[in-house]
Amino acid sequence: MSSPSLSDRDYELISAYLDGEVDIRQKKVIENRLAEDAQFKSAYEQLSRTRRLMRSQPLLRAPRNYTLSPKMLSASQTSPKAFLPFPLLLRTVSAFTSLVFLVLFGLNWITASRMMSVAPVANSEVLAQPAQPALLDEQAMQSRSAPAEEQPMAKSMATPDLAPKSISPPSGEMGGMGEGGGAGAEGGVEAPLLEPDAGITLIAPTDTLSTTLSPAPLESTGELDIQSELNPSEISPSESQALTEVTETEGLIGGIRQNWLLQQILYGVLALSFAIIAIRAGKRRA
Amino acid sequence: MDEQGLIHDAQKGDLEAFNRLVLAYQDAIYTHAYRMLGDESAADDATQETFIAAYQAMKTFRGGSFRAWLFRIVTNQCYDELRRRQRRPTTPLEPLTTDDEEIESPKWLGDDANSPEEEVDQQALREAIQHCLNGLPKEFRNVVLLIDVQGMDYREAAHILKVPVGTIKSRLARARLRIQHCLQGFWELLPDKFRLVDEESQ
């Protein structure tokens, strides 16, 4: 009887048989096959030869004695047992990345918090410009006779805190009107002289402006103060439209805030993950 | 040598007793490290590290086969070294000819005219076997070295490698088969007793 080829299982049996690691039943099966199967017998002989060859290899003689000395032991305790560059690198990179994420997290939080606190007011003011006064400072508010009911106006202001800003509504542009807006006629606060290109320019739609602006009396300083009068019948539709826009804007801001919160959580999780990797790499190295 | 007594003393911090154990096992440990790593320098380091680690961990030795415990340590040392090599592969340096071309001169093809003929054959055979061992996966290599070179039984090897006896059986059979195929080109290096068996079987 001859099998076409031997399987791994056959070689495993032969190998175990050579080492005496088979039970009685397996031993009987193997011996029967050895008697009947020439290929099996040939495989047995070749494997037997390889085994004997391997077992004939003498133990090597150690090139030196490996006995330990107290000095050797103390040196091995002070120095790391093995050079592990990858954990060290991983630890350093992870710690650095964790730190970067934390810094970014903090900066982003501060910036976004500021934006969130300012954005709703600014946006609503911009959107409500046809019906609401556009970004007036406190002094200017005090100078007006009816601050809550003022009409849109274009006004150049010389107050330092608002100087760099410029807000343009989408409906039109009327920049650099050349009218100096003196602040605080009634509030008693005197603003510095307006220079044409130095102050903030608040721009309102031309048509709204023409209907709502009234000539302002000249102050003793020669500056112009703009006073506006509110006519409720003219602004009511605009106000309702503005309110709708403000509501939409608030919804939009709510969405942005939600995204921002998710982003913050993601930053936090990443920072935490890298910190854990850094700690684990450190422990492994120790 | 009263091994148990030496182990007991070494566990109490007696370095002299531990060093006597070192002398008893250093050849076997070095041989295993050399066969696993195929490099004298790396084997030297692994052997030294094994005995240092063993001394430092003596208090954790809970009895049983001290030899198996040592072989587990040297196996781990060798695996660590092999992993390091995988991360930082190196190219062996070969001597150059006058034309700056590498001479293919692995040790097992080397000729030492000053040595006796038999010693040369033995050296060549040893290097041929090492060449074949290096081509095995480290798990297979470890099994064949523990059982065929160190003469351990399946259970002791399974204990050292923390695998079932069945795994030892299959790994050993595959390792032997691969070595057999690898050695096909080196039959002329074999001593007569091995060559004659081959001729008879064919």
Side-chain angles (χ1 to χ4, degrees), chain A residues 3-52:
Chain A
S3 55
S5 63
L6 298 178
S7 64
D8 287 346
R9 176 68 184 154
D10 291 330
Y11 282 107
E12 199 175 307
L13 277 174
I14 292 169
S15 176
Y17 176 74
L18 287 167
D19 294 327
E21 295 278 352
V22 290
D23 56 34
I24 297 170
R25 189 185 58 81
Q26 285 175 325
K27 190 179 174 184
K28 210 167 241 180
V29 170
I30 291 165
E31 285 172 354
N32 284 340
R33 285 192 72 180
L34 283 173
E36 297 170 1
D37 188 339
Q39 194 182 4
F40 191 84
K41 190 179 178 188
S42 172
Y44 164 80
E45 285 170 351
Q46 287 185 43
L47 211 58
S48 172
R49 182 189 56 181
T50 306
R51 176 178 174 272
R52 274 191 291 121

Side-chain angles (χ1 to χ4, degrees), chain A residues 4-286:
Chain A
S5 63
L6 298 178
S7 64
D8 287 346
R9 176 68 184 154
D10 291 330
Y11 282 107
E12 199 175 307
L13 277 174
I14 292 169
S15 176
Y17 176 74
L18 287 167
D19 294 327
E21 295 278 352
V22 290
D23 56 34
I24 297 170
R25 189 185 58 81
Q26 285 175 325
K27 190 179 174 184
K28 210 167 241 180
V29 170
I30 291 165
E31 285 172 354
N32 284 340
R33 285 192 72 180
L34 283 173
E36 297 170 1
D37 188 339
Q39 194 182 4
F40 191 84
K41 190 179 178 188
S42 172
Y44 164 80
E45 285 170 351
Q46 287 185 43
L47 211 58
S48 172
R49 182 189 56 181
T50 306
R51 176 178 174 272
R52 274 191 291 121
L53 182 65
M54 292 302 295
R55 290 189 169 228
S56 71
Q57 292 303 297
L59 287 184
L60 302 176
R61 196 175 175 83
R64 62 183 176 92
N65 281 337
Y66 292 97
T67 49
L68 307 181
S69 65
K71 190 180 173 184
M72 200 185 288
L73 289 170
S74 60
S76 73
Q77 281 169 350
T78 51
S79 64
K81 284 179 187 173
F83 179 59
L84 298 169
F86 182 63
L88 179 64
L89 183 69
L90 181 69
R91 187 185 181 188
T92 311
V93 170
S94 300
F96 179 73
T97 314
S98 179
L99 191 69
V100 168
F101 269 120
L102 283 172
V103 170
L104 282 175
F105 179 83
L107 286 175
N108 200 20
W109 183 279
I110 292 165
T111 312
S113 297
R114 281 185 183 170
M115 283 177 66
M116 288 298 163
S117 62
V118 171
V121 179
N123 278 330
S124 61
E125 281 178 356
V126 170
L127 287 170
Q129 261 189 345
Q132 296 285 329
L135 200 60
L136 296 173
D137 71 347
E138 213 171 304
Q139 292 172 350
M141 292 284 280
Q142 287 172 359
S143 72
R144 287 192 293 266
S145 55
E149 298 171 358
E150 280 178 2
Q151 294 300 306
M153 64 186 71
K155 184 176 181 183
S156 295
M157 300 170 73
T159 44
D161 57 337
L162 291 175
K165 295 183 182 174
S166 177
I167 300 169
S168 304
S171 56
E173 189 173 321
M174 191 187 254
M177 289 179 70
E179 294 179 2
E186 289 178 12
V189 181
E190 199 168 300
L193 276 171
L194 179 72
E195 290 189 9
D197 55 348
I200 184 168
T201 307
L202 294 177
I203 303 149
T206 315
D207 52 348
T208 314
L209 194 70
S210 62
T211 56
T212 54
L213 279 180
S214 62
L218 281 171
E219 294 291 315
S220 56
T221 55
E223 294 173 44
L224 279 174
D225 190 11
I226 299 171
Q227 286 189 334
S228 56
E229 290 177 8
L230 179 69
N231 189 343
S233 63
E234 289 181 2
I235 62 166
S236 289
S238 303
E239 269 187 337
S240 64
Q241 187 188 352
L243 280 171
T244 311
E245 288 174 351
V246 166
T247 311
E248 287 171 0
T249 310
E250 281 174 352
L252 186 67
I253 288 165
I256 292 168
R257 191 172 283 158
Q258 209 169 10
N259 286 341
W260 172 77
L261 276 171
L262 282 173
Q263 197 182 358
Q264 297 307 303
I265 291 166
L266 185 65
Y267 273 138
V269 168
L270 281 171
L272 198 63
S273 307
F274 279 111
I276 288 168
I277 290 169
I279 290 164
R280 290 192 67 173
K283 278 184 179 174
R284 189 181 161 188
R285 182 171 170 74

Side-chain angles (χ1 to χ4, degrees), chain B residues 105-121:
Chain B
S105 56
K107 275 187 172 181
W108 47 270
L109 288 180
D111 181 22
D112 188 354
N114 297 325
S115 301
E117 190 179 335
E118 197 175 307
E119 179 60 31
V120 172
D121 287 346

Side-chain angles (χ1 to χ4, degrees), chain A residues 11-12 15 19 21 45-47 49-50 52-53 55 57 60 62 64-68 73 76, chain B residues 19 26-27 31 34-35 44 48 56 148 154-155 169-170 172 176 180 183 187 194 197-198 201:
Chain A
Y11 282 107
E12 199 175 307
S15 176
D19 294 327
E21 295 278 352
E45 285 170 351
Q46 287 185 43
L47 211 58
R49 182 189 56 181
T50 306
R52 274 191 291 121
L53 182 65
R55 290 189 169 228
Q57 292 303 297
L60 302 176
R64 62 183 176 92
N65 281 337
Y66 292 97
T67 49
L68 307 181
L73 289 170
S76 73
Chain B
N19 280 337
Q26 64 183 10
D27 287 348
T31 301
Y34 176 78
R35 291 299 194 187
D44 182 60
Q48 187 68 80
Q56 288 170 342
D148 281 345
Y154 286 18
R155 269 148 293 278
K169 269 186 193 176
S170 62
L172 181 62
R176 283 171 172 167
Q180 178 186 306
L183 286 173
W187 291 132
F194 299 109
V197 169
D198 188 47
S201 69

